[in-house]
């Protein structure tokens, strides 16, 4: 496998609105990130993905961009962004921005022009179609619920297409002019010295141009739009072009938000010269998503499915390429709430989860607050902010749940859980802002915050620092990066285990992911215990004794 600059790095996602507010308006901003760069360097972060900070009406918190060449004043200025890139570079941190090019905002001048003249050049930047006698052109359902079609204001029978909210019209990638605009924009940013981009919702850019109805999959008679991307061919032509034009010349890192890849195409996506450098490993951390609505999601994440999906993914990838491994992001509940039953939450469970993820093959991708064990918050309905959560709440009610049940389900699964302000200290508002935070802080900030954990040797934060140092240590870096991955003890309840091998070196991770003691019989002698979350590993005969949520990494 050809070695790339980013293979042995550790990445971290920032949701800027909730990271750190420098000016007291209650909203995190770029100068706030600048202030925390030393913290991130100290943690061991090499790559920083910043969720969108472009000019936006913020219907979907910046995933609706109205000017790709401007920073939203809410976050600061272009000078702040330039300074952030430069200051990060000094600390050997590469910045990835968020590339949202499946759609833009309905306030983008392109769309405004399209509204004025749907048949003109900008009309062709979007998908504007005639309806069927004033009815929508087909039965596809958008990700956030409701039809993907919205009536073009001022017309009786013209509709535009949106995979997400109606304020996020999809861009027409079939139009070479549009693609050209996008490529120029990406290169403009890359020339500023970015390390690359995380690429949003990219599997949606290829549409089924027959626009044929899909078999209904719900009582509304509609079918989920993601099924279209699973069915159509030809997306590779766009992606290859984008890579060659925008990423290759800069040796840039492109991390795709792509999922449900089949074995035969993985190579095209993330193999050598693949469309992306890497994609997120969603399958293992979406194992709870058994249906399309929160209502059908399981809670918490079923251990067996998580373990199985991880093994499948790792096997499918082999040494073709690397996925980016996560337990959470801004679209998910908190990993430490999702993976760990509530009554088991604590130092050992949180650090066990961390170790399992960070020792896997792939690029470890932390999400802000994960490193201190931030978890879900208790919600009142009126406190939610997220568009998706609102629509999911309505769906629950429509399907006959009581308001209490609907609230409970949304409280578990809402994306707002990941978006509560970062907990910097035990001061008011968790030290996130001197003003009124845009979203409520989690009340547990007095126990869970950076400042206190920095001072406490045995904290989750200091564990993460040690874990990252272990991952990047001269001795184990090669094997943890390039070593093969073999699942182990798959038939033993609640044991998450795997072996990494590189040449004659072998590391075995064994974790008892449960609140009950357990043990496994070691297959061979080991030389060293190289990483643990408890003191003193106990082996009796060939049996490794494991306390609740104990994880050990052995060198064989
Ligand atoms: C991606 C983003 C999500 C956003 C959606 C539409 O899934 O991660 O936050 O709502 O795309 O841009
Ligand atoms: Ca601010």
């Amino acid at each position: 496998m050809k070695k790339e600059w980013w293979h042995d790095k550790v990445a971290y996602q920032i949701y800027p609105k909730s990271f750190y507010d420098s000016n007291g308006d209650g909203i995190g901003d770029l100068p706030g990130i600048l202030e925390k760069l030393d913290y991130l360097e100290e943690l061991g972060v090499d790559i920083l993905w910043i969720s969108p900070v472009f000019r936006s009406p913020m219907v979907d918190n910046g995933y609706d961009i109205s000017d790709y060449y401007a920073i939203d004043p809410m976050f600061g200025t272009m000078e702040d962004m330039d300074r952030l890139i430069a200051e990060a570079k000094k600390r050997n941190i590469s910045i990835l921005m968020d590339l949202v090019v499946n759609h833009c905002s309905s306030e983008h001048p392109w769309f405004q022009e399209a509204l004025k003249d749907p048949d003109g050049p900008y009309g062709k930047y979007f998908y504007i179609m005639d309806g069927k006698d004033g009815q929508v052109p087909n039965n596809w359902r958008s990700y956030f619920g409701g039809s993907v079609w919205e009536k073009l204001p001022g017309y009786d029978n013209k509709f535009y297409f949106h995979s997400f909210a109606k304020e996020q019209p999809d861009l027409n990638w079939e139009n070479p002019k549009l693609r050209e605009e996008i490529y120029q924009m990406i290169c403009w940013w890359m020339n500023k010295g970015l390390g690359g981009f995380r690429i949003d919702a990219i599997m949606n850019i290829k549409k089924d141009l027959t626009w044929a109805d899909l078999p209904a999959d719900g009582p509304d008679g509609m079918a989920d739009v993601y099924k279209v991307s699973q069915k159509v061919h030809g997306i590779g032509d766009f992606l290859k072009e984008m890579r060659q034009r925008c990423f290759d010349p800069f040796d840039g890192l492109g991390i795709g938000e792509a999922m449900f890849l089949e074995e035969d195409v993985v190579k095209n996506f993330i193999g050598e010269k693949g469309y992306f450098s890497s994609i997120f490993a969603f399958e293992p951390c979406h194992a709870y998503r058994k249906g399309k609505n929160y209502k059908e999601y399981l809670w918490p994440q079923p251990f067996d499915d998580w373990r199985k999906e991880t093994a499948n993914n790792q096997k499918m990838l082999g040494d073709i390429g690397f996925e980016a491994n996560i337990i959470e992001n801004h679209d998910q509940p908190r990993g430490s709430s999702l993976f760990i039953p509530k009554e088991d939450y604590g130092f050992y469970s949180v650090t066990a989860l961390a170790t399992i993820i960070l020792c896997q093959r792939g690029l470890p991708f932390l999400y802000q607050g994960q490193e201190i064990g931030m978890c879900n918050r208790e919600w009142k309905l009126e406190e939610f902010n997220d568009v998706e959560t609102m629509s999911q709440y309505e769906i629950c009610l429509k399907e006959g749940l009581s308001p209490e049940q609907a609230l409970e389900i949304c409280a578990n699964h809402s994306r707002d859980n990941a978006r509560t302000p970062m907990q910097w200290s035990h001061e008011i508002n968790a030290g996130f802002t001197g003003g009124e935070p845009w979203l409520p802080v989690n009340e547990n900030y007095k126990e869970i915050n950076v400042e206190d954990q920095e001072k406490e040797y045995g904290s989750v934060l200091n564990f993460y620092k040690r874990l990252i140092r272990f991952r990047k240590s001269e001795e184990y870096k090669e094997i943890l990066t390039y070593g093969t991955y073999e699942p182990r003890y798959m038939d033993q309840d609640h044991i998450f285990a795997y072996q990494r091998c590189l040449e004659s070196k072998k590391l075995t991770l064994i974790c008892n992911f449960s609140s009950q003691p357990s043990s496994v019989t070691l297959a061979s002698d080991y030389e060293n215990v190289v990483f643990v979350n408890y003191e003193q590993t106990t082996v009796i005969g060939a049996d490794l004794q494991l306390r609740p949520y104990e994880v050990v990494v052995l060198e064989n």
Side-chain angles (χ1 to χ4, degrees), residues 391-518:
S391 113
Q392 287 288 334
Y393 183 77
E394 293 305 320
I395 289 169
C396 288
L397 293 187
K398 247 187 231 152
E399 298 192 9
L401 298 188
S402 70
E404 295 72 39
Q405 289 168 320
L407 178 61
E408 191 193 334
I409 288 175
C410 289
N412 283 344
H413 293 291
S414 173
R415 310 195 292 180
D416 281 336
N417 283 303
R419 300 175 181 186
T420 62
M422 175 75 182
Q423 292 162 208
W424 291 106
S425 75
H426 58 248
E427 305 292 322
I428 184 157
N429 294 324
F432 160 73
T433 178
E436 192 55 40
W438 73 277
L439 195 67
V441 294
N442 192 323
E443 286 69 17
N444 66 16
Y445 69 87
K446 294 216 167 97
E447 293 82 54
I448 301 171
N449 66 70
V450 171
E451 201 180 277
D452 291 348
Q453 292 198 14
E454 274 177 337
K455 290 183 199 138
E456 187 198 331
Y457 174 77
S459 66
V460 171
L461 178 60
N462 283 321
F463 182 91
Y464 260 97
K465 287 185 189 168
R466 241 179 303 141
L467 178 58
I468 292 173
R469 274 204 299 275
F470 169 60
R471 165 106 198 171
K472 299 207 280 192
S473 61
E474 276 315 311
E475 220 177 330
Y476 300 108
K477 181 161 105 179
E478 282 294 303
I479 181 166
L480 287 169
T481 306
Y482 295 105
T484 56
Y485 182 103
E486 268 302 323
R488 290 277 185 261
Y489 303 103
M490 288 290 277
D491 53 356
Q492 243 180 286
D493 257 6
H494 282 94
I495 298 292
F496 204 121
Y498 52 83
Q499 191 169 54
R500 309 287 316 268
C501 300
L502 189 71
E503 287 147 20
S504 61
K505 228 179 162 107
K506 283 195 180 84
L507 288 180
T508 308
L509 174 144
I510 305 175
C511 177
N512 168 25
F513 205 78
S514 86
S515 58
Q516 300 305 314
S518 184

Side-chain angles (χ1 to χ4, degrees), residues 21-29 74:
D21 174 22
S22 70
N23 62 355
D25 64 357
I27 296 170
D29 44 48
M74 170 193 282

Side-chain angles (χ1 to χ4, degrees), residues 25 45 117 137 146 223 246 299 309 321 338 461 471 516 520:
D25 64 357
V45 170
D117 180 11
C246 312
W299 185 263
E309 292 290 344
L338 175 66
L461 178 60
R471 165 106 198 171
Q516 300 305 314
V520 301

